[in-house]
Amino acid sequence: MSKKIDVLSLKGKKVKDIKLEDNVFNVKPNDAVIKDAVVAAMAGARQGTSKVKTRSEVSGGGRKPWRQKGTGHARQWTGGGVVFAPVPRDYSKKMNKKEKRLALKSALSYKVLDKELVVIDNINFETNKTKEMVSLLENLKLTNNKVLVCVNELTDNICLAARNLANVKIVLPSEVNTFDVVSCDNLLITEEALKSLEEVLK
């Protein structure tokens, strides 16, 4: 049976309800694939730039200028190389397209099951002030939550209103990924962006 969800106004009042696409928001969640997607996202974020010189790379080498002991001189060389030294590497992990889509659908389905998906008819701010976004979160009772906001268009007013809020991240439907969905407390999405996301994942 198709799930329905309320569409709210900027004031947090119910405007109507809409049906969610079963193939996107009502799949049987696959925890293993979600975990793989999160691990892959975290691995991809690692820089992998740490580097220490190995024995073959340190300065010096070849014949000793004098013997180690008994000459009155200090030892000639300092600073040896590390045997199993870290070298730059790529930590990214591969996931095929089918697994990525299943992981995202599973994460979105969890948001619906846990009542953490909030659909709003539109987000139109008159100014670019932070208080506009704060007011919206207050109306939706999401003030203290980590919120992923999905809109169809990144307007200056929306981006600037959220810029100073550490708990808010703005994305387009094409940018929604499993890691962000799992990491946030709530997914706040406009009705238009919801339709776009369903089209992408259907």
Side-chain angles (χ1 to χ4, degrees):
M1 183 178 173
S2 294
K3 287 182 177 290
K4 286 187 174 183
I5 192 165
D6 292 345
V7 178
L8 308 177
S9 67
L10 285 172
K11 299 290 186 185
K13 305 293 183 188
K14 180 179 175 179
V15 178
K16 59 181 177 180
D17 56 40
I18 55 171
K19 283 184 178 179
L20 294 172
E21 182 69 42
D22 280 346
N23 191 33
V24 177
F25 291 97
N26 194 22
V27 303
K28 185 178 180 183
N30 186 319
D31 292 342
V33 177
I34 290 177
K35 182 186 175 186
D36 287 345
V38 170
V39 169
M42 293 176 73
R46 291 183 70 177
Q47 283 189 322
T49 53
S50 57
K51 173 78 175 83
V52 175
K53 287 184 178 180
T54 62
R55 285 186 63 188
S56 65
E57 294 169 317
V58 293
S59 61
R63 186 179 170 210
K64 284 172 76 89
W66 52 75
R67 66 177 190 268
Q68 181 89 348
K69 294 177 181 292
T71 61
H73 290 295
R75 280 179 290 187
Q76 178 64 8
W77 288 308
T78 60
V82 178
V83 180
F84 298 111
V87 292
R89 56 178 287 192
D90 179 10
Y91 286 100
S92 62
K93 296 178 182 294
K94 295 276 191 292
M95 273 188 87
N96 66 46
K97 194 173 179 181
K98 192 174 179 183
E99 287 177 324
K100 281 183 181 177
R101 289 167 76 89
L102 177 58
L104 181 51
K105 288 179 180 182
S106 296
L108 291 170
S109 296
Y110 266 131
K111 281 286 176 261
V112 175
L113 287 170
D114 298 336
K115 295 182 170 47
E116 293 173 352
L117 175 67
V118 181
V119 182
I120 193 166
D121 58 352
N122 204 351
I123 299 180
N124 279 327
F125 292 154
E126 293 178 6
T127 70
N128 59 17
K129 296 190 180 300
T130 307
K131 67 180 181 183
E132 295 269 17
M133 184 61 77
V134 171
S135 175
L136 173 60
L137 296 180
E138 285 175 351
N139 291 338
L140 299 174
K141 297 179 173 59
L142 303 176
T143 309
N144 298 319
N145 294 4
K146 189 174 178 182
V147 183
L148 182 66
V149 181
C150 183
V151 292
N152 237 25
E153 185 184 357
L154 296 174
T155 64
D156 286 345
N157 281 1
I158 291 174
C159 294
L160 293 172
R163 185 173 59 176
N164 294 326
L165 299 173
N167 63 322
V168 176
K169 181 175 180 179
I170 311 286
V171 294
L172 293 168
S174 59
E175 298 171 333
V176 176
N177 62 74
T178 306
F179 181 76
D180 283 342
V181 173
V182 170
S183 301
C184 71
D185 296 315
N186 292 92
L187 171 58
L188 172 60
I189 187 168
T190 64
E191 185 179 358
E192 193 179 9
L194 179 75
K195 287 185 170 61
S196 297
L197 184 60
E198 287 178 336
E199 283 299 319
V200 171
L201 294 175
K202 235 177 0 186

